[in-house]
Amino acid sequence: MSLPDNLHYLDMQELSLLIRTRKISPVEVTEAMLARIEALDGQLHSYARVTSEIALEQAHQAEAELAKGMCRSPFHGIPLAYKDLFDTAGVVTAAGMPIHADRVPEQDATVVARLREAGAVMLGKLQMTEGAFAIHHPDIQSPVNPWGEQHWTGASSSGCGVATAAGLCFGALGSDTGGSIRFPCAANGLTGLKPTWGRVSRYGAFEMAASLDHVGPMTRSARDTLFLLSTIAGHDPLDPTSMPSVCLEIPGIDESFKGLRVGIDENWLSDGVDPEIQQALHAVMSLIASGGGQLIRVSMPSTRAVSSNWEAHCGVQTAVAHANTYPQRASEYGPALSRLIDGGRALSGMDYQRILLDAQRFTGEVDALMSELDVVLAPVQPYAAPTLEQLANLAQDPEANRRLIQFTSPFNVSGHPCLSLPIGLTAAGMPIGGQFIARKGGEAVLCRAGMAVQKVSDWHRLRPTAIG
C-alpha cells in the first residue's frame, strides 16, 4: 500500500490500525514525518530539536517487532513529539531556557518512558516559552501559528500546538499551569486535555508551580486525546502526588450527548466575551440539545479572585522551583520570567495564605457545583487568537491579563479536568476554542462530550490551508 497523501493528518487510531495490520511501515511513516519537518519547520520553528537518529532507530525496532508478531500497544510505531520540559534520556531538555541548553537528563520522564515502552517513536522536543511561563526567551525563535503568522500560538506549549496543527507529529505531550495546553489548542484548532491534578505523573517534568502544573495530551481529536491519555495516565511511585490507576476504557465510551448534564452559566459565558466566541458556544449548545443532552442553567462560582491571584500564586511556587539558579543567574533570564519570580519572592507569607484560602474556597464551590452535573461548557479565552501586537499590549494591563486567563487558570488552582476543543472559526478564519470542565477524575466524560461534538461537526477536521 502506498502512503496516503494525507498521512500527516491521519488520526492516531487510524494510523495504528494501518501499522498493526502492516499496511504501512513505521519506518516509512517516520521518514515521511521527518521529511515534512525538514520541509516546513524552518518557517514554523515548532521543534527545539529533532531527534532523527533516535526516531529512525525506534521505527526500525518497531517494524522488526511487528514483523515477528509482537505488538507492544496501539502506539507501536506511531511518531510523537514532546514539549521540551519532559526529561529524555541522553537528549537535551532545556525548558525554553538558554541556561539549560546543555542539560542532558540521564533518564526519561515517566510519561516519556511509558510511551517509549508502548513502542511510540520520538520525533523530537518541541519549543516552549521560557520556563513554561508566558513569553519565549528573547534569544529563542518563537514558533509561528500555521493559521496566521501574526497571531498568537498560545502559551507555553506553543511548539506542541504548532507541530500538531501543521502535521509535524501525530500528537504531543504538553503541560498546563494556567492554560498552556488549552490556549495553544484554541489558537491552533486542536483538542487537548488538562487532566485532573495527579492523574498524570509529573516526575521528570521541569517544574514551574508544583500545585498548578498538569501534564496532558494535545491532539487533533477527542478520541485521540483519550487514546494518548490512556497510555500516560496512572499512578507513578516516583510521583507521590499521582492518583491511583484508573482504567480508561476507550471502546466503552458512548459518543453521544444523550442524558449528559451540561452546566451553562450565561452570565459567565458573556462576561467580556467577544460575540464571535458567544455565537460559537451557542452552536455547541444547540448540538448538545438536539443530541439529547440536558442544558442546565447554573451559577458558576466567581473566578475573579483566583484568576486575579494566579500570577502571585504561581510566582511563589516558581521562585521555589528556580531557587538553584535565581537570583544567582538572574541576568540570563528573560524579563517576563524574572518579573514573575521577583513577585513571588517579594510576597509575604500572610498574603500567600490569603491566596491559598481563596483557592480552597473556590475549589470547594466547584466540587459542590459539579456534584449535580457531568460537565460545564466554557470558552477557553474571551477572544480568539489575538495578534502578536495585541498580546504585547496585554503585558501592560493586569486586568486584561486576568481576563485572558479567567476561564483557564481557576481550574489549575482547583485541579478539575478540562478538555479544550475547536468550535468554529472567526470571520478572519482563525480557530475558536471552547472547553468542557468536569468533576475530578472525570476525564472519560470529558472525552465523551468532546467525541459527541466531533461526531456531529467537522470543526476538528479543519486545517491551516497555507501549509498543505
Side-chain angles (χ1 to χ4, degrees):
M1 176 180 176
S2 60
L3 295 177
D5 292 338
N6 68 336
L7 170 69
H8 47 278
Y9 283 138
L10 288 180
D11 286 350
M12 283 192 285
Q13 294 200 42
E14 184 179 359
L15 178 63
S16 175
L17 180 61
L18 291 173
I19 289 175
R20 283 182 287 138
T21 56
R22 304 191 63 199
K23 293 178 179 176
I24 289 181
S25 154
V27 174
E28 291 175 325
V29 173
T30 300
E31 289 175 341
M33 295 301 287
L34 291 171
R36 185 170 172 84
I37 293 167
E38 176 68 22
L40 295 178
D41 206 49
Q43 68 190 68
L44 295 176
H45 309 292
S46 64
Y47 277 83
R49 60 199 57 83
V50 180
T51 53
S52 301
E53 292 185 9
I54 292 173
L56 289 170
E57 179 183 342
Q58 292 175 341
H60 278 287
Q61 181 180 352
E63 187 165 305
E65 290 172 347
L66 289 162
K68 296 176 182 177
M70 173 187 173
C71 182
R72 296 192 187 194
S73 81
F75 275 100
H76 209 165
I78 293 183
L80 303 172
Y82 309 132
K83 185 174 180 176
D84 197 29
L85 55 59
F86 296 112
D87 283 353
T88 40
V91 177
V92 169
T93 299
M97 302 183 67
I99 65 170
H100 295 310
D102 298 320
R103 179 179 175 272
V104 180
E106 295 182 357
Q107 67 182 88
D108 289 332
T110 295
V111 287
V112 172
R114 286 179 175 173
L115 285 165
R116 176 174 48 77
E117 291 161 5
V121 171
M122 182 176 74
L123 292 170
K125 307 296 289 294
L126 295 166
Q127 197 54 269
M128 57 179 286
T129 57
E130 184 185 15
F133 188 43
I135 305 295
H136 295 86
H137 189 280
D139 294 343
I140 289 178
Q141 173 68 57
S142 302
V144 175
N145 191 322
W147 289 85
E149 63 181 5
Q150 293 304 314
H151 289 266
W152 192 36
T153 55
S156 76
S157 302
S158 53
C160 297
V162 171
T164 306
L168 305 186
C169 59
F170 290 96
L173 289 185
S175 68
D176 190 312
T177 304
S180 293
I181 285 173
R182 290 161 290 166
F183 286 139
C185 283
N188 291 281
L190 301 175
T191 303
L193 179 71
K194 180 198 79 67
T196 307
W197 189 80
R199 169 69 84 193
V200 178
S201 172
R202 291 177 293 112
Y203 180 79
F206 190 92
E207 184 177 303
M208 181 185 179
S211 76
L212 306 176
D213 293 345
H214 297 64
V215 171
M218 297 173 64
T219 71
R220 293 188 288 266
S221 71
R223 179 166 282 272
D224 273 358
T225 294
L226 180 59
F227 191 52
L228 189 45
L229 178 70
S230 66
T231 299
I232 63 173
H235 181 68
D236 175 16
L238 297 174
D239 178 1
T241 68
S242 62
M243 297 168 62
S245 296
V246 175
C247 183
L248 297 168
E249 290 291 343
I250 295 174
I253 292 180
D254 177 18
E255 297 182 31
S256 79
F257 298 115
K258 190 173 182 180
L260 202 67
R261 300 167 299 171
V262 182
I264 305 292
D265 182 341
E266 291 278 10
N267 291 330
W268 187 49
L269 299 186
S270 60
D271 181 17
V273 177
D274 282 0
E276 282 186 311
I277 306 290
Q278 294 184 49
Q279 291 168 11
L281 290 168
H282 278 92
V284 175
M285 291 180 209
S286 295
L287 293 179
I288 293 169
S290 62
Q294 301 175 47
L295 298 177
I296 300 173
R297 304 299 165 181
V298 300
S299 180
M300 195 69 192
S302 174
T303 61
R304 177 168 288 275
V306 285
S307 57
S308 296
N309 290 341
W310 180 85
E311 186 165 318
H313 192 163
C314 182
V316 171
Q317 297 188 45
T318 305
V320 172
H322 287 259
N324 290 334
T325 53
Y326 197 98
Q328 299 94 314
R329 300 178 68 179
S331 63
E332 299 172 72
Y333 278 63
L337 186 56
S338 290
R339 177 178 54 79
L340 178 73
I341 295 173
D342 286 339
R345 292 173 65 89
L347 198 72
S348 74
M350 288 182 67
D351 284 341
Y352 190 56
Q353 173 63 4
R354 292 186 185 101
I355 288 172
L356 295 179
L357 291 173
D358 280 338
Q360 290 171 342
R361 186 179 305 111
F362 176 76
T363 300
E365 290 170 347
V366 177
D367 284 339
L369 176 69
M370 293 309 307
S371 68
E372 304 296 326
L373 302 168
D374 293 307
V375 296
V376 169
L377 178 65
V380 171
Q381 58 201 46
Y383 38 80
T387 65
L388 298 177
E389 182 180 0
Q390 289 170 324
L391 192 67
N393 292 335
L394 286 178
Q396 313 305 318
D397 185 348
E399 175 57 19
N401 272 313
R402 186 203 67 77
R403 282 187 58 224
L404 176 63
I405 64 174
Q406 68 181 332
F407 297 107
T408 55
S409 63
F411 305 101
N412 292 88
V413 171
S414 69
H416 291 86
C418 308
L419 180 83
S420 173
L421 71 167
I423 60 172
L425 297 177
T426 66
M430 296 301 296
I432 296 173
Q435 65 176 330
F436 289 113
I437 303 151
R439 70 187 67 179
K440 292 173 183 174
E443 286 81 6
V445 73
L446 281 180
C447 291
R448 174 192 168 186
M451 287 189 285
V453 170
Q454 293 174 354
K455 188 174 182 179
V456 294
S457 69
D458 64 356
W459 297 313
H460 66 297
R461 298 199 179 279
L462 300 175
R463 304 286 180 244
T465 56
I467 59 168

